[in-house]
Amino acid sequence: MSDFTRRNFLKTASLASAAVAAAGLGLYSGKSQAAEFKLKFANNMPITHSMNVRAREMAKAIREETDGAVQIQIFPSSQLGSDTDTLAQVRSGAVDMFALSPVILGTLVPSVQISAVGFAFKDYEQVWSAMDGDLGAHVRAEIAKTETLFAFDKIWDNGFRVTTTSTRPIVTPDDLKSMKLRVPPSPIIMSIFRAFEAAPTSINFSEVYSALQTRIVEGQENPLTLVSSAKLYEVQKYCSLTNHVWDGFWMLGNSASFNRLPQDMQAVVSKHINAAVVAQRDDLATLQGTIRDTLKEKGLELVESPPEPFRQRLQSANYYGDWHEKFGDAAWAILEKYAGKLA
Ligand code: X2X
């Protein structure tokens, strides 16, 4: 008998006579038991994205290890609403878990955007040391201050954001001038493209494909792996390797929903979530090897955009100075501990 089955048995036994408890044993043991706890997990990624592939494995492992007591239902592709809507739902508890990028969570908790400062992280070694280290811990503490939300330990990978367009390639910052670009509902992403004097407009990811298709905007910016899995290559021509911001997805939980679970079940859920995230990071790392060829085969024209002129433009627009002031000296020092001096 597993711990969870045993506990259910004891619970039953304390409520009823021994004879009823004995019958109850048959009811509670085995995997056919009805879920005691159903948790809704929402995200904006396509069903084929590594996040959702690993989330399905994670849900299965959690169901098995809790003998069916905890059931996680996955809602990919913004099925429950746009990111803005779903953020409201996870705050109210209508959704129990939500994978959300720090750049969008910044509309609620501005300080979490610190991981998305432009051209801060040079590579994944810096990213994971920061996010699994003190920078991640700082941000999770900020999220916990909301009291309604918390973040699990590990952040899913989205990737380094690049810029796709249908009208012209982006090689230097000047190419962005007045360009109608979709950005997520995100203060920090909005600000970087304002510094480049583009014409950024906030659109939720669920609307991006159609906004590009109908040419409401000329371009958008997202990691190569997502340009591929969301098939944005079908409605874009150029892909400029700007790599301006690293992005991930915090696995947010509604605190009250999670606290309803007994502590041992909480531990099982956290363990499998963190394991799924680590595996998903590896999946995207493996994909990096072939993603450029995949996108070229789909007809995208890949363009190099050397970072230095972009970084200089941010310096002269006082982008680093402004964000340093907003995040504060202490948080900025944590970022620079991993990313090196930024200004
Ligand atoms: O909306 C986006 O661009 C995405 C999918 O990258 C985020 O969730 C920030």
Side-chain angles (χ1 to χ4, degrees):
M1 221 190 309
S2 77
D3 287 350
F4 298 121
T5 313
R6 190 174 305 117
R7 186 184 39 242
N8 281 324
F9 172 64
L10 292 173
K11 195 163 71 188
T12 309
S14 69
L15 289 172
S17 73
V20 174
L25 184 62
L27 251 177
Y28 281 96
S29 63
K31 288 180 182 124
S32 58
Q33 160 188 340
E36 271 179 82
F37 301 100
K38 285 193 181 169
L39 299 174
K40 290 184 179 170
F41 167 38
N43 65 75
N44 64 4
M45 290 290 96
I47 195 164
T48 53
H49 188 273
S50 53
M51 175 196 284
N52 282 312
V53 174
R54 294 299 179 178
R56 286 193 289 278
E57 287 176 9
M58 165 197 103
K60 183 166 179 273
I62 291 170
R63 192 175 64 231
E64 285 174 1
E65 203 175 329
T66 61
D67 290 321
V70 180
Q71 189 190 319
I72 297 188
Q73 297 170 277
I74 305 168
F75 298 88
S77 297
S78 305
Q79 276 175 12
L80 300 181
S82 71
D83 286 328
T84 308
D85 290 343
T86 312
L87 179 57
Q89 292 178 56
V90 73
R91 291 173 74 191
S92 75
V95 164
D96 305 292
M97 296 189 299
F98 179 34
L100 184 64
S101 160
V103 306
I104 302 177
L105 184 56
T107 56
L108 177 69
V109 188
S111 53
V112 308
Q113 297 174 101
I114 193 158
S115 57
V117 168
F119 301 100
F121 299 129
K122 314 310 173 274
D123 52 36
Y124 271 107
E125 215 179 290
Q126 286 188 356
V127 167
W128 299 135
S129 357
M131 303 315 286
D132 291 338
D134 294 344
L135 194 71
H138 160 73
V139 163
R140 289 192 299 278
E142 294 289 312
I143 296 170
K145 284 185 192 161
T146 61
E147 290 180 7
T148 49
L149 297 179
F150 70 99
F152 289 88
D153 289 344
K154 302 277 181 190
I155 185 166
W156 304 94
D157 192 18
N158 188 8
F160 281 88
R161 302 178 77 92
V162 302
T163 310
T164 66
T165 50
S166 56
T167 45
R168 60 178 187 269
I170 308 301
V171 180
T172 72
D174 284 338
D175 297 321
L176 278 168
K177 223 171 181 151
S178 305
M179 177 168 281
K180 278 197 196 156
L181 207 62
R182 175 273 171 177
V183 295
S186 164
I188 200 160
I189 303 282
M190 183 62 91
S191 89
I192 196 170
F193 286 99
R194 288 221 172 107
F196 296 139
E197 296 175 48
T201 170
S202 287
I203 299 178
N204 271 286
F205 190 68
S206 46
E207 308 291 330
V208 167
Y209 186 97
S210 65
L212 295 168
Q213 190 175 36
T214 56
R215 302 245 176 168
I216 288 172
V217 287
E218 303 173 64
Q220 66 84 46
E221 43 81 59
N222 253 304
L224 293 173
T225 44
L226 186 53
V227 171
S228 175
S229 56
K231 300 189 194 301
L232 301 184
Y233 52 79
E234 291 177 352
V235 286
Q236 296 282 268
K237 187 160 187 305
Y238 304 101
C239 178
S240 304
L241 303 169
T242 48
N243 293 314
H244 47 283
V245 161
W246 171 79
D247 190 27
F249 301 96
W250 283 113
M251 187 65 155
L252 301 176
N254 175 281
S255 307
S257 299
F258 196 63
N259 288 335
R260 274 197 284 277
L261 266 58
Q263 275 189 351
D264 48 1
M265 289 197 196
Q266 290 182 11
V268 170
V269 170
S270 299
K271 178 181 76 178
H272 288 295
I273 287 177
N274 290 330
V277 171
V278 170
Q280 185 267 348
R281 293 175 183 179
D282 286 345
D283 294 339
L284 280 197
T286 306
L287 253 188
Q288 298 301 338
T290 50
I291 193 70
R292 290 177 189 218
D293 288 339
T294 308
L295 290 172
K296 277 187 218 161
E297 278 161 28
K298 300 289 184 188
L300 264 194
E301 194 174 311
L302 267 60
V303 180
E304 295 291 336
S305 328
E308 209 38 52
F310 290 87
R311 213 180 281 132
Q312 276 167 19
R313 194 61 68 91
L314 295 182
Q315 296 283 8
S316 55
N318 201 36
Y319 165 94
Y320 293 107
D322 286 346
W323 283 104
H324 181 159
E325 203 180 313
K326 283 186 190 132
F327 293 131
D329 288 341
W332 196 258
I334 306 176
L335 174 62
E336 287 192 330
K337 178 173 124 187
Y338 298 98
K341 272 261 167 254
L342 293 172

